[in-house]
């Protein structure tokens, strides 16, 4: 089974610095990071872009290369006169070569056709690269339309997204999508104003927006809130035996919901105290009874849990959670975060077992994000 990755985007207006040979690692350095040790394959540079890919003001270099039956997107930074390797992602296709998408026949065809020439910054497997800012960022993330092959679909393309080299959007989760099976392509576009992406943007029957919640891209569904990370602070900084005021700021990037539950868990223990003026928070201490969704029964809590009941949360409105925390360890304590809401009779959790961002189960059996986002 072979997979090829392609990426297609409507690119917002950003400056892409043109790269000379001095602005890109030479082939020997590229081989060191891109090829497996001892490989005799050659590397061909298909293109490069100078762009800001993280919080630092210095530009990084994004390099697109081809070697054998694989194509790679790699990020490097020039520091102290040397190239620093940041990350790379490889995509493989058994038969690399020119292909084009036939909108009439709804499939990919080998060869070329007038009016569908290859983009200047693309390959055979990696069809398109776009760079865009996500909410809260002043730097760019990388989005790719990749070409893949998998029976019984045959050749198709889906989007992939990476922020600072970490995957935040996986188009292979759409393999069972009815429109992908029909069209063999997940077309998508970027909304610069909302800083969101929409798949099948010209098809009102299947058009779907995806928003970034601080950990991953989430489908923005009707009647679903998407609590999204804004900031996380502790004043003063963590010190064993001393109380810090912790503030978590969230923003609903989804839709209006009448009732949302926000849960913060503290696997490292510690002492939590709710200020008298703060409402809507309920504290469960170690030993208190909580519900475990996997065991379908009530259990004694292994560690503290803070549950927030948020009523009437509208789109694009912020909400702050504040509490007092005293750590018991010298290192930064671990916090777990998740949100749940009711959709008719079903309890829906973000994250869930389909999430691609790193998560771990809390004591109640729900997948939870690490806070703040890593």
């Amino acid at each position: 089974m072979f997979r090829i990755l392609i990426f297609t985007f409507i690119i917002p207006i950003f400056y892409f610095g043109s790269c000379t040979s001095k602005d890109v690692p030479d082939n020997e350095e590229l081989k060191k990071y891109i090829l497996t040790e001892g490989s005799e394959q050659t590397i061909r540079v298909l293109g490069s872009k100078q762009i800001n890919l993280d919080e630092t003001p210095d530009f990084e270099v994004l390099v697109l290369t081809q070697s054998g039956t694989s194509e790679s997107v790699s990020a490097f930074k020039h520091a102290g006169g040397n190239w620093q390797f940041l990350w790379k992602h490889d995509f493989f296709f058994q038969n690399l070569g020119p292909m084009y998408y036939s909108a009439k026949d709804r499939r990919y065809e080998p060869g070329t056709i007038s009016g569908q020439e290859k983009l200047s910054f693309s390959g055979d497997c990696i069809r398109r690269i776009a760079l865009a800012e996500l909410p809260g960022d002043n730097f760019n993330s990388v989005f790719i339309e990749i070409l893949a092959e998998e029976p019984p679909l045959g050749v198709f393309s889906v989007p992939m997204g990476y922020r600072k080299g970490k995957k935040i959007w996986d188009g292979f989760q759409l393999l069972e999508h009815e429109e992908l099976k029909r069209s063999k392509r997940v077309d998508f576009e970027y909304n610069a104003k909302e800083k969101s992406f929409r798949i099948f943007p010209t098809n009102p029957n299947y058009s779907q927006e995806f928003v970034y919640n601080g950990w991953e891209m989430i489908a923005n569904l009707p009647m679903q809130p998407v609590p999204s990370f804004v900031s996380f602070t502790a004043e003063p900084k963590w010190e064993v035996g001393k109380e810090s005021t912790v503030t978590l700021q969230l923003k609903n990037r989804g839709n209006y919901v009448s009732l949302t539950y926000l849960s913060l868990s503290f696997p490292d223990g510690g002492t939590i105290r709710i200020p008298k003026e703060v409402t809507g928070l309920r504290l469960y201490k170690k030993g208190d009874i909580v519900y475990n969704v996997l065991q379908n029964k009530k259990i004694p809590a292994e560690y503290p849990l803070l549950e927030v009941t948020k009523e009437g949360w509208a789109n694009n409105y912020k909400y702050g959670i504040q509490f007092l925390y005293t750590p018991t360890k010298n290192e930064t304590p671990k916090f777990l975060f998740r949100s749940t809401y009711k959709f008719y009779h079903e309890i829906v959790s973000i994250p869930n077992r389909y999430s691609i961002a790193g998560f771990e189960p809390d004591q109640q059996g729900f997948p939870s994000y690490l806070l703040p986002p890593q």
Side-chain angles (χ1 to χ4, degrees), residues 80-99:
N82 298 308
W83 285 104
Q84 177 188 356
F85 171 73
L86 301 177
W87 52 263
K88 80 177 176 79
H89 294 285
D90 299 310
F91 305 103
F92 302 89
F93 198 63
Q94 183 181 18
N95 300 304
L96 284 178
M99 298 190 76

Side-chain angles (χ1 to χ4, degrees), residues 198-213:
R198 183 170 293 277
I199 62 172
F200 307 118
T202 61
N203 188 331
N205 294 322
Y206 297 102
S207 182
Q208 175 65 62
E209 183 185 35
F210 283 75
V211 297
Y212 181 62
N213 72 344

